[in-house]
Amino acid sequence: MGIRLVNAAGRAGLDVDGRLVDLESSSGGRFGADVMDAIADWDALCDWASGLDADAGDGTIDESTFGPPVTRSQKVFGVGLNYRGHAAEAGLDIPKEPLIFTKFPSCLAGPRADVVLTSERVDYEVELVAVIGRSGRNIDEGRAIDHVAGYCVGQDISDRALQFAGKPPQFSMGKSADTYGPIGPAVVSLDAFDDPNDLPLWCEVSGERLQEDRTNDLIFPVPELVAYLSRYCTLEPGDLIFTGTPAGVGAVRDPRRYLQPGDEITSGIDGIGILQNRCVES
Ligand code: ZN
């Protein structure tokens, strides 16, 4: 059945059938109020949560209070061109190795946060985000999933004007402005899904559905990404992998569809939930 870790008004909690269980108070201090500590102690948290009563919970979940369920990642990786449809719409070849870029962790924002637009060419990218729960280096692909605590929904907001200001393109700044990494609404453990490798994901902007695909279309699935990244970097609990976006981004639509002040971005993955982010002027 799995667990759903949330950041409710700055405190680590579990969403148990729509009721909030505050980790620190419900566990008598066994777990603290910091979501990062909960992720670093993931196996113990899952064990403890499996013993919760069906009617556990201190109150009704209020997602309007939610912050990002991962707050201080050491590393936030992005993956370019990881869906065939997106590579095709960009007019680029299917990559032979994962194309990795970084999002600075300071861009992380909550599932209801406003996105502060930095230019007139800011784009949306709904993505599955893998949350590392167990550290490792040179992780074998066959055991890579053991290092993943769970999944959340992410938006890899991208300032295309900044990204493509020169040649070659520079991804890091264009994808790292404050608020350009909404994640949430929960970190959902993998045992919550019938098939964690085949999840429907979609994105709507102001009610218009612009992206829709399934994660089984990933060119490099999560275990391959974990194995690949850990060849070079020691992965730590709370590290995030934005696994790439499906077709339908604004920069390659005809006509182009960039985010405007007042737009509402709704991003969803079945079994995890949705992000609702309003675009505002800087
Ligand atoms: Zn992306």
Side-chain angles (χ1 to χ4, degrees), residues 6 16 54 78 96 131 138 161 170 184 192 199 229 239 252 254 271:
V6 301
V16 179
K96 294 186 172 58
V131 181
N138 286 321
Q170 299 291 325
L199 303 174
L229 291 167
D239 284 351
V252 295
D254 185 17

Side-chain angles (χ1 to χ4, degrees), residues 30-183:
R30 166 67 182 84
F31 300 99
D34 188 333
V35 287
M36 297 304 287
D37 293 339
I39 292 163
D41 209 1
W42 190 255
D43 291 339
L45 179 62
C46 291
D47 277 352
W48 176 79
S50 68
L52 285 173
D53 291 341
D55 61 351
D58 313 309
T60 307
I61 287 283
D62 177 4
E63 290 200 8
S64 71
T65 71
F66 279 12
V70 186
T71 51
R72 298 186 312 282
S73 305
Q74 186 190 73
K75 301 182 281 305
V76 179
F77 300 101
V79 185
L81 303 181
N82 204 17
Y83 285 85
R84 286 173 183 80
H86 180 51
E89 73 178 357
L92 295 165
D93 293 337
I94 304 282
K96 294 186 172 58
E97 297 229 325
L99 302 177
I100 304 299
F101 58 89
T102 189
K103 288 172 78 72
F104 305 137
S106 53
C107 76
L108 296 176
R112 299 290 185 94
D114 288 349
V115 169
V116 183
L117 303 176
T118 52
S119 82
E120 293 177 351
R121 292 172 55 197
V122 179
D123 209 344
Y124 51 84
E125 297 190 348
V126 66
E127 308 203 359
L128 176 76
V129 175
V131 181
I132 298 298
R134 187 176 294 161
S135 66
R137 178 85 201 271
N138 286 321
I139 298 166
D140 189 69
E141 191 182 315
R143 304 186 59 179
I145 214 69
D146 296 344
H147 291 259
V148 176
Y151 290 154
C152 57
V153 186
Q155 256 296 338
D156 178 18
I157 302 285
S158 305
D159 183 336
R160 305 297 188 199
L162 196 51
Q163 185 180 355
F164 296 107
K167 287 184 178 170
Q170 299 291 325
F171 281 43
S172 302
M173 283 304 292
K175 288 167 171 283
S176 290
D178 288 356
T179 73
Y180 276 21
I183 55 170

